[in-house]
Amino acid sequence: MRVDIHIWILSFLIIFMLHNLEEIITVEKWFQNTYPRVRYHIPSSIQKELNRYKSITSVQFAVVVLVFSVFVCTLIVIAIITQHYYMFLGINLLFALNIFTHPLQALYLRGYTPGVLTSLLLIIPYYSLFFYRFHNTDLLTLDSIFYAIAFMVFLIPLFLVSHKIGEKWN
């Protein structure tokens, strides 16, 4: 089973690298061209948050992705070394919450949103198999779910810090 978990980890890293590349490549143009046209369809509370990022450049977003990826990769290495795979499960849970928003945003706005293609073609199939496989192993227990959720909460400030660093990058 331990070899199997390493394959899931490697798959996760490759798929999320591709997903992040899609977002990096498309986010700046999307905010310049699409956001002004669709923003009136977005609830004002969400619009307020998006307005903070409407002038984000691809370079700034790449810095956000880089900083957060370094945090996540470091934590994955720690999970492998210590065999505390609930850390990897927590990372997956956090990313899963983010990933399902991409197709919902695209449906709601009736158009392309950054990250939707890799979400639909790579990440949702990955998660379907990942959670099915983990459900059928000793790695998914009530304890591991509890620790994974606690770990996921720990990751949120790291995500916010990466955004703060990216915002300051010019």
Side-chain angles (χ1 to χ4, degrees):
M1 177 56 206
R2 298 305 175 221
V3 171
D4 192 35
I5 185 72
H6 296 135
I7 291 169
W8 285 107
I9 291 170
L10 181 60
S11 299
F12 172 84
L13 293 170
I14 292 168
I15 288 169
F16 269 94
M17 179 184 66
L18 293 172
H19 174 72
N20 289 332
L21 283 173
E22 178 190 2
E23 288 183 319
I24 289 167
I25 291 167
T26 62
V27 71
E28 186 174 350
K29 287 274 190 216
W30 187 88
F31 269 109
Q32 289 173 354
N33 300 332
T34 307
Y35 180 67
R37 191 179 71 237
V38 300
R39 74 176 224 215
Y40 300 106
H41 300 287
I42 300 170
S44 60
S45 59
I46 297 172
Q47 235 184 81
K48 188 177 176 183
E49 184 65 24
L50 284 175
N51 282 336
R52 291 181 50 217
Y53 299 107
K54 71 181 177 185
S55 61
I56 194 167
T57 66
S58 292
V59 171
Q60 287 173 311
F61 193 76
V63 170
V64 171
V65 168
L66 174 67
V67 170
F68 194 65
S69 295
V70 167
F71 285 138
V72 167
C73 288
T74 302
L75 295 170
I76 288 173
V77 168
I78 292 168
I80 293 169
I81 291 169
T82 63
Q83 295 187 354
H84 292 151
Y85 295 114
Y86 68 85
M87 296 168 71
F88 181 60
L89 181 59
I91 291 167
N92 271 276
L93 290 174
L94 180 66
F95 278 93
L97 291 175
N98 170 263
I99 289 311
F100 286 102
T101 63
H102 292 289
L104 295 174
Q105 292 165 354
L107 286 172
Y108 183 77
L109 297 174
R110 296 186 182 124
Y112 175 83
T113 56
V116 73
L117 293 178
T118 50
S119 292
L120 291 171
L121 299 175
L122 296 174
I123 299 171
I124 292 174
Y126 166 85
Y127 277 129
S128 299
L129 295 170
F130 173 81
F131 287 115
Y132 174 78
R133 178 71 177 122
F134 266 55
H135 179 265
N136 293 323
T137 68
D138 62 335
L139 295 175
L140 192 63
T141 64
L142 285 177
D143 281 350
S144 69
I145 292 170
F146 173 77
Y147 289 125
I149 290 170
F151 190 72
M152 183 177 70
V153 171
F154 164 76
L155 291 171
I156 293 170
L158 295 177
F159 179 74
L160 297 174
V161 165
S162 68
H163 271 275
K164 288 291 181 197
I165 293 169
E167 286 173 15
K168 296 195 184 307
W169 195 274
N170 288 321

